[in-house]
Amino acid sequence: MPVLASQASVDFMAAQNASIVWPAIFAGRAFQSAFNSTFNVLSNTTKLFTSVGNTIPDLYKAGNGILELKNGAYIYNSAQIDAQLAAAELEGVPYYLGVSQTSTVAATTSVAVGETEGEVFVFDAATGTISSYEGGEVSAELLEFLAALLLEE
Amino acid sequence: MIDCTIQILTPTVLREPECGRELLRALQKYFPTHTPQFFGDTEPLRNHFRPDSADAALGCWGRQFFILKREKPKVLMQASFASSTSPRPRHSSISFFDFQLLDPAQLSTLTTFVKELAQTFHADYAMAHILSQNELEDWLARRLETPTSRPAPPASQIVDRLRTRISREGYAKVLWGVECLKLQTVNLQRCLPNLYWLNVFGPPYAAMFGRQHLLETPAASVETLAYGGTAIQLTNDLKDSKEGWESFEAVRLKCRNHLDSNAFCDSTPGRDHAYQTPTFLLRQPH
C-alpha cells in the first residue's frame, strides 16, 4: 500500500521526537527509581484534580504533602507543576520539588513552592543525600513527610 | 547595573484586574526604562507585552500567577494570588526577583516605587534589597563553617554546588535564594528572616513593635506611610565592596537590636523557640 507523503512526514517527526524524548524519560525514571529506593517509598498512582489541570505527582499522601521529582536542566512553572501547586494549595499541604545536582530552578517556581510551605531540594542519586536547593539542610517537615510515606507501605 | 530584588506581601486578595493595572501603572510611572517584554500566567512566556494594550495582558491576571519579564535591564516579576479557600491562608505576593537598576541615581526612585506599591496594596510587609557579591561570599563562608548531618551532604559539597550555580546563574540569583526566598507568610509567622536595605512594616508590625519604636530605628531614613506602614531604609546606598558591605552590616545589626532581637530568626535557640510575631488578618478585599 502506498504511503502518503503527509503520513511519511508524520512518521519521520515521531521518530525524531522519540530520539529526543525517550532518553529524557528514561533518565527521569532512573532518577525517580534512585530516590524511591534510597527513601524506601513507592510511586503514587492517585490522580489529583484542579481547576488548572489534573496531575499524578510522583509521591503523595493525602493531608500530608505532594512531592515531584525532576532531573531536567531547567525547571520552571510548567502546566504540570502549576497543577501540582494548585492541588497543594487547595488541600493545604506542602509541595516538595526534588531536582538533580545539575538542575536550575526558576525563581518563579522556588517562590511558588515556598508559598505552599514546601521546598525545593536537591537529590544526589550517587550519594543518596538531599539538601535544600538554596544551600541549607532540608526542613524537618520534608523528612517527616518522607517518613510518613515509609510508614504507609 | 545594580541587581536589586523587591518583595510585597499583601493581605488583599489581589485578583481584581484593577490591582494589575495599578501595578503596571506604577512600574511605567517610575521605571519607563523597565517596560516588560513578555507576560503570561505560566512558563515559558510566549506573549509579547505592549504598553499601549496593557489590558490585553491583564486578561490572564488573577488566575494563579502573573509573570512579567524583560532583558537589559533585567526584570522578572511574579504576582502570586492566594487562594480564598485554601485551609492555609497566606498573603498574595508581588515578587520582583531581579530588578536591575541602570545606575545608583535610580535607587531613590526604587524606594519611592516600593513605598507606593506598599501603600497601594496596604502591604503587611515589603522590602527591597541591593544584591551584593560581598554578602553572598559572607554567607558562603558561614555555610562552610556550619556542619551538616545525614541525609544532607557535607557543607563543602553544598558550597561547591552553589559555586557551580553562581557560575551558571549569576551571584544575584543565588543570593536572592539564600537570603530573600524566605520572605513568605509561613516564615514570617515564625520569625523575621532579617532586615534588608529597605523595609516596609505594615500595621501588624506596628502593633507588634510599637509605632513610636519603629520610628526611632537608627537607620538612614524612617518614614510613616499614609496607610499605617513604616518604611525603614537602613543606609543611603549599599556599595558592592568589602567596606560598603561591612558598614551596611553594622547598621543592620544596630537596627535589629533596636527593634527587638527576639523578632528575628536565629539558629541558636532551636526549632521550637517562640519568637515575637505579628498577627496577620488575611484575605481582605482590595
Side-chain angles (χ1 to χ4, degrees):
Chain A
M1 193 179 189
V3 176
L4 296 172
S6 60
Q7 195 180 340
S9 152
V10 167
D11 290 343
F12 170 74
M13 289 298 289
Q16 192 179 41
N17 286 341
S19 70
I20 297 165
V21 171
W22 282 108
I25 289 174
F26 288 136
R29 294 241 167 103
F31 185 66
Q32 192 179 337
S33 296
F35 185 88
N36 288 3
S37 60
T38 300
F39 293 96
N40 201 18
V41 292
L42 286 176
S43 290
N44 164 61
T45 53
T46 306
K47 189 183 252 189
L48 306 178
F49 299 88
T50 78
S51 60
V52 294
N54 307 326
T55 175
I56 303 176
D58 290 332
L59 296 167
Y60 169 67
K61 185 170 166 68
N64 215 307
I66 295 171
L67 191 152
E68 180 70 17
L69 295 159
K70 291 275 175 209
N71 72 330
Y74 183 64
I75 316 295
Y76 57 92
N77 279 5
S78 61
Q80 183 202 29
I81 288 182
D82 276 353
Q84 293 176 351
L85 287 163
E89 182 136 23
L90 197 66
E91 202 179 321
V93 296
Y95 177 65
Y96 301 109
L97 181 62
V99 301
S100 81
Q101 292 264 79
T102 53
S103 300
T104 296
V105 180
T108 47
T109 304
S110 294
V111 162
V113 169
E115 281 174 336
T116 69
E117 306 187 19
E119 69 182 288
V120 181
F121 66 95
V122 174
F123 170 58
D124 182 352
T127 58
T129 57
I130 51 173
S131 57
S132 160
Y133 180 71
E134 306 301 347
E137 293 189 49
V138 296
S139 65
E141 288 80 6
L142 170 55
L143 297 177
E144 282 160 15
F145 171 65
L146 291 171
L149 289 171
L150 182 67
L151 290 171
E152 197 176 48
E153 287 169 31
Chain B
M1 295 276 190
I2 302 170
D3 286 291
C4 298
T5 185
I6 301 166
Q7 176 81 317
I8 314 281
L9 294 182
T10 169
T12 64
V13 178
L14 206 67
R15 285 182 190 266
E16 298 84 5
E18 187 51 33
C19 297
R21 208 165 285 122
E22 285 173 7
L23 170 67
L24 290 172
R25 205 158 35 218
L27 181 62
Q28 197 61 27
K29 175 178 160 190
Y30 292 105
F31 289 99
T33 46
H34 289 59
T35 301
Q37 293 166 327
F38 296 96
F39 74 93
D41 56 3
T42 190
E43 291 172 274
L45 302 179
R46 293 198 175 95
N47 309 306
H48 287 270
F49 183 88
R50 289 177 48 207
D52 55 346
S53 58
D55 276 359
L58 293 174
C60 60
W61 175 273
R63 286 177 199 156
Q64 189 180 12
F65 305 112
F66 179 82
I67 308 167
L68 294 172
K69 189 178 179 176
R70 73 160 287 132
E71 295 291 336
K72 289 182 186 171
K74 268 190 196 170
V75 174
L76 178 60
M77 188 235 55
Q78 175 168 271
S80 170
F81 309 100
S83 159
S84 53
T85 54
S86 173
R88 291 187 185 187
R90 66 168 174 90
H91 290 93
S92 289
S93 62
I94 298 170
S95 313
F96 286 87
F97 312 108
D98 204 348
F99 196 88
Q100 280 186 329
L101 300 183
L102 299 169
D103 56 62
Q106 285 192 317
L107 282 172
S108 61
T109 313
L110 181 76
T111 59
T112 313
F113 175 57
V114 174
K115 284 187 267 189
E116 181 158 323
L117 290 182
Q119 170 69 42
T120 302
F121 299 113
H122 287 212
D124 277 349
Y125 176 84
M127 61 75 88
H129 195 52
I130 303 167
L131 299 167
S132 139
Q133 206 154 354
N134 282 273
E135 181 171 11
L136 181 58
E137 285 304 326
D138 224 27
W139 191 91
L140 290 171
R142 273 184 278 124
R143 170 71 270 185
L144 208 51
E145 287 166 11
T146 313
T148 60
S149 55
R150 291 287 292 185
S156 59
Q157 276 181 33
I158 291 176
V159 170
D160 286 348
R161 181 174 57 76
L162 290 175
R163 290 213 178 275
T164 308
R165 275 190 57 203
I166 293 167
S167 62
R168 200 170 58 213
E169 303 167 37
Y171 80 90
K173 164 99 187 292
V174 176
L175 177 59
W176 170 83
V178 300
E179 273 299 325
C180 308
L181 178 59
K182 293 166 269 187
L183 295 169
Q184 295 173 335
T185 310
V186 57
N187 297 315
L188 296 183
Q189 282 169 333
R190 284 180 195 149
C191 51
L192 263 170
N194 213 339
L195 284 176
Y196 300 89
W197 181 66
L198 174 68
N199 312 267
V200 180
F201 291 113
Y205 282 100
M208 183 182 97
F209 286 124
R211 193 173 302 283
Q212 191 55 37
H213 192 62
L214 278 169
L215 289 172
E216 288 163 359
T217 307
S221 150
V222 182
E223 180 189 338
T224 302
L225 305 181
Y227 81 100
T230 305
I232 300 173
Q233 185 184 323
L234 296 194
T235 55
N236 289 324
D237 59 12
L238 199 177
K239 292 199 170 61
D240 199 0
S241 62
K242 197 166 174 356
E243 297 74 35
W245 168 241
E246 281 172 358
S247 71
F248 173 82
E249 258 298 68
V251 174
R252 172 148 80 174
L253 186 62
K254 200 163 70 172
C255 292
R256 275 178 64 143
N257 289 338
H258 164 81
L259 284 173
D260 181 353
S261 54
N262 193 42
F264 293 95
C265 308
D266 185 349
S267 55
T268 325
R271 191 182 164 196
D272 297 326
H273 178 74
Y275 291 95
Q276 194 186 0
T277 53
T279 304
F280 297 124
L281 297 170
L282 302 169
R283 294 174 179 164
Q284 303 292 311
H286 180 59

